Amino acid sequence: SKVLAVQAVVSTQSTGESLELDEHNLKYLKGCALNVGNMYNCKAEEILIDAAKMNPTMYEIWNELGDCIWKKGDKKGAGNCFERALNQQRNKVSLRNISIVMRQQQSVTRDQIDESVKISKEAVSLDVTDGTSWYILGNAYLAQFFLCGQASDVLKCSLSAYTKASDDEKVLSDPDYYYNKGIVFKYLDNYSQAIAYFMDALTIHPQFTECKLELDSLKDQIERSNNLIASKGRIKPKNLGMMIRQLKDKIKGQNPSKVSVAQFDELEIGQNQDKALNCIVVSSVVPNVKTPFVCICLDSTETCFAVNVYNIDTSKAPKLGDILTIPFPQKYVVNVVSSNESYEYGMIRVDSPLNIMINNRQLSKVSLAPLKLTTTALT
């Protein structure tokens, strides 16, 4: 390991003794010692290149060289080194790093993301006790969620991998672990857990700007949603009555279908098969940072709740007075206690705008706005 390499080199320098190693091994250890930390070291690269020339079959040298080159921003060169290492021996470090490199291309395809997950799984299979491998697999699943359809099952796979990674104390000291796990909980609509993990990340790294933005944005979304629901969108009673009559007229005019129309309070927590929900938009919460578009809606009983629509272009989002039809609605209850404030309200999750109708009109693919990858840069 790098720690052992540093200890070996420091020990020989302090005692004046020489390590009884082949020259390529000695250069490898010196390169490891110089490559410790997050900053690129040109001397480390020179020494590791020499070591690789002396023994090109030693995969550890290629892995270390790839890590060194990565630090100067040469991802392609780093990837080539990891591939060279993998050609010598299938090993978890090369597999993990190749998985990361594949996800960091400027234009990432679905096939590349799927391959990244596959490679990460292989790294885990080589050592199921390595928390770092589980963590990288969790990040690969999270990338798959953002770039390949936003399926909640993929998020659950990511969460499972992160949970197994937590057995490794080294992972638990990394603020990125808590941040990325917070992102998973956020998109699973488990806001209390998301906030807790974001705060854990900031405890370790108080200057974690992206995490602070996510935390503040989520808290703002929750508070604004709660306040607008409590005030029914701040709509005047007369106008509210007109909107409810408009909604009821719409429901009367619906054609019979295989699904039954239900009110919000009639829905069960979770997915409601064979049911549909009609509601009218009385307000909205425009996202600040990577949050869903939140509509504040009423059903015909005047029950007020939030409708979180993911992956929607805000220019195509529902507006005040629009009537939404949501088949198979997913119902959740937001319950958050934070900074001496408590919030609790009902919510409907919509994974895609293609899953709802606005004013009897099915939205097309032009309404989609794919979510962007939010895992931290090097993982």
Side-chain angles (χ1 to χ4, degrees):
S1 70
K2 290 186 180 182
V3 174
L4 293 177
V6 173
Q7 290 175 343
V9 173
V10 170
S11 175
T12 56
Q13 288 178 342
S14 61
T15 63
E17 299 176 358
S18 61
L19 288 172
E20 295 182 0
L21 295 171
D22 293 334
E23 189 173 358
H24 69 270
N25 274 315
L26 184 57
K27 284 184 177 291
Y28 166 64
L29 290 177
K30 288 183 177 179
C32 287
L34 291 171
N35 193 40
V36 169
N38 297 321
M39 300 299 293
Y40 166 70
N41 186 303
C42 62
K43 188 64 177 177
E45 181 180 358
E46 292 175 6
I47 292 174
L48 289 168
I49 288 174
D50 287 343
K53 289 178 179 178
M54 292 177 181
N55 187 359
T57 63
M58 185 174 170
Y59 74 87
E60 294 93 341
I61 298 175
W62 289 110
N63 279 335
E64 195 67 30
L65 179 58
D67 180 69
C68 180
I69 292 174
W70 198 336
K71 292 173 184 176
K72 71 174 181 180
D74 184 1
K75 295 176 185 177
K76 183 177 179 180
N80 290 336
C81 290
F82 300 138
E83 291 285 357
R84 290 287 295 269
L86 210 56
N87 288 338
Q88 304 307 318
Q89 182 174 320
R90 306 297 288 186
N91 68 91
K92 61 185 180 182
V93 175
S94 298
L95 290 165
R96 290 194 308 237
N97 288 332
I98 290 172
S99 172
I100 298 169
V101 169
M102 292 183 72
R103 298 196 304 272
Q104 291 190 1
Q105 305 301 316
Q106 285 190 340
S107 298
V108 184
T109 66
R110 178 164 191 155
D111 287 344
Q112 287 175 315
I113 291 296
D114 291 343
E115 183 65 19
S116 172
V117 171
K118 181 181 176 181
I119 291 173
S120 295
K121 286 182 178 179
E122 184 181 351
V124 167
S125 72
L126 294 177
D127 182 0
V128 295
T129 66
D130 191 313
T132 300
S133 295
W134 282 110
Y135 174 53
I136 299 303
L137 177 59
N139 288 350
Y141 275 128
L142 188 52
Q144 192 175 52
F145 165 76
F146 280 113
L147 300 176
C148 303
Q150 296 88 54
S152 59
D153 286 347
V154 176
L155 279 181
K156 292 173 184 177
C157 289
S158 178
L159 182 59
S160 177
Y162 286 148
T163 300
K164 291 177 181 177
S166 66
D167 292 334
D168 190 327
E169 291 187 4
K170 181 174 63 175
V171 172
L172 293 180
S173 65
D174 185 352
D176 293 342
Y177 163 76
Y178 297 96
Y179 171 74
N180 289 338
K181 197 168 182 179
I183 291 291
V184 171
F185 277 116
K186 172 186 168 181
Y187 284 102
L188 285 172
D189 299 306
N190 190 333
Y191 295 152
S192 60
Q193 286 280 55
I195 288 172
Y197 278 102
F198 288 151
M199 292 181 71
D200 285 342
L202 289 168
T203 298
I204 298 172
H205 181 19
Q207 305 305 317
F208 197 158
T209 303
E210 188 172 5
C211 184
K212 184 69 164 60
L213 288 173
E214 284 285 359
L215 177 60
D216 290 345
S217 176
L218 181 55
K219 285 183 174 180
D220 179 68
Q221 173 195 324
I222 294 168
E223 181 177 3
R224 291 164 67 194
S225 297
N226 183 81
N227 293 343
L228 286 168
I229 289 169
S231 64
K232 295 186 177 180
R234 302 192 183 97
I235 301 294
K236 293 180 180 179
K238 180 179 179 180
N239 293 334
L240 196 63
M242 293 174 59
M243 296 175 80
I244 293 298
R245 287 194 294 273
Q246 179 185 356
L247 176 60
K248 288 180 177 179
D249 289 343
K250 191 273 186 208
I251 295 174
K252 289 179 183 178
Q254 280 188 326
N255 294 322
S257 64
K258 294 181 180 179
V259 298
S260 60
V261 176
Q263 304 293 351
F264 182 83
D265 288 338
E266 296 172 339
L267 299 174
E268 298 179 354
I269 300 297
Q271 186 88 43
N272 287 263
Q273 300 291 347
D274 303 324
K275 291 184 179 179
L277 173 67
N278 289 313
C279 53
I280 191 164
V281 179
V282 296
S283 190
S284 62
V285 178
V286 180
N288 291 329
V289 181
K290 304 188 187 83
T291 55
F293 188 91
V294 181
C295 303
I296 307 302
C297 298
L298 288 172
D299 65 16
S300 60
T301 68
E302 295 193 29
T303 298
C304 197
F305 49 90
V307 175
N308 287 12
V309 186
Y310 287 88
N311 196 23
I312 190 168
D313 183 338
T314 54
S315 68
K316 310 292 183 183
K319 302 183 293 296
L320 178 67
D322 282 345
I323 294 176
L324 308 184
T325 300
I326 307 171
F328 318 127
Q330 301 178 61
K331 180 180 178 180
Y332 295 88
V333 175
V334 174
N335 194 333
V336 174
V337 177
S338 177
S339 303
N340 299 321
E341 296 286 345
S342 61
Y343 304 99
E344 183 174 351
Y345 57 88
M347 185 193 73
I348 298 294
R349 176 191 177 100
V350 178
D351 290 323
S352 167
L354 303 181
N355 298 338
I356 60 174
M357 295 179 67
I358 300 179
N359 301 323
N360 279 331
R361 181 175 60 86
Q362 189 76 47
L363 296 183
S364 66
K365 290 184 178 180
V366 297
S367 65
L368 293 170
L371 295 170
K372 295 181 180 179
L373 183 61
T374 62
T375 51
T376 49
L378 294 181
T379 54

